[in-house]
Amino acid sequence: MQKGRAMDRQETFIVHIISQESATWQGQVTWLDEKETKSFRSLLELIKLMDTALGDRETMHEKGEHV
């Protein structure tokens, strides 16, 4: 990935916080562009899910697949 390239793209996520336990959030995140929803148990897991989704999109783009 070229430096700064991912920062130029915009993706849309909806984050639904269901509860707060152990000083962190639990809930669901929906990636609107791919119509995919996943649950998370911590803020760190939420960030990792979003980062993975963006990485998957970048990989598909580099392979020339439809995004």
Side-chain angles (χ1 to χ4, degrees):
M1 178 185 342
Q2 292 177 330
K3 192 173 185 176
R5 187 170 166 189
M7 298 301 283
D8 293 337
R9 290 193 342 263
Q10 292 185 3
E11 300 292 335
T12 305
F13 296 91
I14 295 177
V15 178
H16 181 209
I17 307 301
I18 296 172
S19 64
Q20 179 184 353
E21 295 179 23
S22 303
T24 193
W25 295 337
Q26 295 80 43
Q28 294 182 324
V29 58
T30 301
W31 184 13
L32 291 184
D33 299 327
E34 296 296 319
K35 298 175 182 69
E36 186 175 342
T37 299
K38 296 201 176 190
S39 297
F40 61 90
R41 297 168 295 199
S42 68
L43 181 58
L44 179 59
E45 190 173 3
L46 169 62
I47 292 168
K48 287 180 178 181
L49 285 169
M50 294 170 80
D51 185 56
T52 299
L54 294 173
D56 290 349
R57 172 62 69 102
E58 184 66 26
T59 300
M60 289 172 58
H61 181 72
E62 287 173 358
K63 289 181 178 179
E65 297 176 12
H66 177 64
V67 289

